[in-house]
Amino acid sequence: MKIRTIREFIESNEQPEILFWIGCAGSYDERYKKVTRAFVKILNKLDINFAVLGEEESCTGDPARRAGNEYLFQLQAFSNIDTLNKYDIKKVITMCPHCFNTLKNEYPELGGSYEVIHHTEFLNELLESGKLVTKKIKKEITYHDSCYLGRGNKIYKAPRKLIESVTNNLKEMKRNKENGLCCGAGGSQIFKESEEGKVEINIERIKEIQEVNPETVVSACPFCMTMLSDGLKETNLYPGIEVKDISEIIEENLKN
């Protein structure tokens, strides 16, 4: 795959169109690395001029802030802002809604103002411009709204338009869009033991997935992907129902 760091661009006296912020999950989680590769393949195939920070990228600080460690959040944020401003970055694309929300809505008050776009919005822009063309499949798909993408930033249309470019069989769960149900990972919950209760949130969501009985559950968030995958395995519904990111579905069905 063709991937260049921002430093390589600068050394060649070039400036990329966009900076692709990969995020912790996209860099280190074995499952989500596949999503990173799928998105990069799309960028390469469509000749998008992009750069990554490489080893200069660090965690945005979202988990620290959500867990209540404001000091650590600000240390991480100021370090990232220094790096982004050093390279005069203007436009950032990120796959993770948590990274997206932090970079877009929380960095400006600390001196980091950028045009931040989630990869579903970016891919949908390419779709609407005619640059990205997909083929149709018959697969039945349901879409899970990420909290930070959906209720947090009101992004509902872009992911659905992308799915509908691939299939006519988008089956909505009873709780969707503004009424979508959290996967249970947000607020740093994924890093701690569950609190007392009658049911795990991700298992509650799996019940709703089961009601529409899709072949594939599509998400646009690494946290959601992990929680949904774990829930499907725990309820013995995997591999009958698979979990994929939108970029994987698009990459698999790009027209040559």
Side-chain angles (χ1 to χ4, degrees), residues 14-30:
E14 298 174 78
Q15 192 70 20
E17 292 173 44
I18 58 172
L19 178 83
F20 172 30
W21 185 279
I22 298 174
C24 299
S27 300
Y28 299 114
D29 182 81
E30 288 303 321

Side-chain angles (χ1 to χ4, degrees), residues 153-186:
N153 287 281
K154 312 300 179 193
I155 297 172
Y156 301 112
K157 289 182 181 178
R160 286 172 170 81
K161 284 184 176 293
L162 289 165
I163 293 169
E164 287 167 350
S165 76
V166 170
T167 182
N168 294 321
N169 297 314
L170 173 59
K171 304 171 78 175
E172 294 282 7
M173 286 179 269
K174 67 180 180 183
R175 282 188 276 193
N176 63 73
K177 299 178 182 174
E178 294 87 350
N179 298 313
L181 180 66
C182 176
C183 73

Side-chain angles (χ1 to χ4, degrees), residues 4-14 16 49-51:
R4 295 170 66 194
T5 64
I6 185 68
R7 184 174 288 176
E8 289 172 327
F9 270 88
I10 300 302
E11 287 172 354
S12 302
N13 292 316
E14 298 174 78
N49 190 24
F50 75 99

Side-chain angles (χ1 to χ4, degrees), residues 102-119:
T102 305
L103 291 166
K104 181 182 176 68
N105 299 322
E106 300 182 348
Y107 274 25
E109 65 180 3
L110 301 175
S113 295
Y114 320 102
E115 180 187 1
V116 186
I117 305 173
H118 189 258
H119 78 305

Side-chain angles (χ1 to χ4, degrees), residues 53-254:
L53 284 175
E55 292 182 358
E56 291 186 85
E57 183 186 296
S58 178
C59 178
T60 61
D62 167 78
R65 174 169 265 194
R66 302 299 165 247
N69 194 336
E70 182 67 16
Y71 175 70
L72 177 57
F73 163 72
Q74 292 201 19
L75 281 179
Q76 293 176 306
F78 281 126
S79 174
N80 287 323
I81 289 167
D82 284 346
T83 301
L84 292 169
N85 290 350
K86 176 179 71 177
Y87 290 121
D88 196 27
I89 297 300
K90 299 287 192 293
K91 188 173 182 178
V92 182
I93 309 292
T94 178
M95 299 186 298
C96 174
H98 294 253
C99 295
F100 169 72
N101 181 71
T102 305
L103 291 166
K104 181 182 176 68
N105 299 322
E106 300 182 348
Y107 274 25
E109 65 180 3
L110 301 175
S113 295
Y114 320 102
E115 180 187 1
V116 186
I117 305 173
H118 189 258
H119 78 305
T120 56
E121 292 180 293
F122 183 69
L123 292 174
N124 190 53
E125 286 174 8
L126 295 173
L127 180 71
E128 291 184 341
S129 70
K131 191 165 186 178
L132 187 155
V133 182
T134 59
K135 58 188 178 186
K136 287 278 189 180
I137 56 175
K138 293 181 179 179
K139 190 167 284 189
E140 293 185 339
I141 292 173
T142 193
Y143 173 66
H144 168 80
D145 288 284
S146 153
C147 293
Y148 275 116
L149 198 60
R151 291 194 302 274
N153 287 281
K154 312 300 179 193
I155 297 172
Y156 301 112
K157 289 182 181 178
R160 286 172 170 81
K161 284 184 176 293
L162 289 165
I163 293 169
E164 287 167 350
S165 76
V166 170
T167 182
N168 294 321
N169 297 314
L170 173 59
K171 304 171 78 175
E172 294 282 7
M173 286 179 269
K174 67 180 180 183
R175 282 188 276 193
N176 63 73
K177 299 178 182 174
E178 294 87 350
N179 298 313
L181 180 66
C182 176
C183 73
S188 279
Q189 294 296 307
I190 197 169
F191 301 113
K192 60 184 277 295
E193 293 299 320
S194 299
E195 292 161 26
E196 218 173 298
K198 294 180 181 178
V199 66
E200 296 282 358
I201 295 178
N202 65 328
I203 300 301
E204 188 71 13
R205 193 55 161 163
I206 297 305
K207 292 176 185 175
E208 296 184 0
I209 292 170
Q210 212 171 354
E211 285 174 11
V212 296
N213 194 31
E215 294 169 74
T216 304
V217 183
V218 169
S219 70
C221 169
F223 289 85
C224 294
M225 174 172 274
T226 297
M227 297 299 282
L228 295 173
S229 298
D230 288 351
L232 287 169
K233 288 171 184 174
E234 195 172 325
T235 52
N236 297 315
L237 292 172
Y238 178 85
I241 300 175
E242 60 180 356
V243 183
K244 290 199 171 182
D245 187 87
I246 282 183
S247 56
E248 292 180 303
I249 291 288
I250 295 297
E251 192 272 323
E252 289 168 4
N253 296 288
L254 270 180

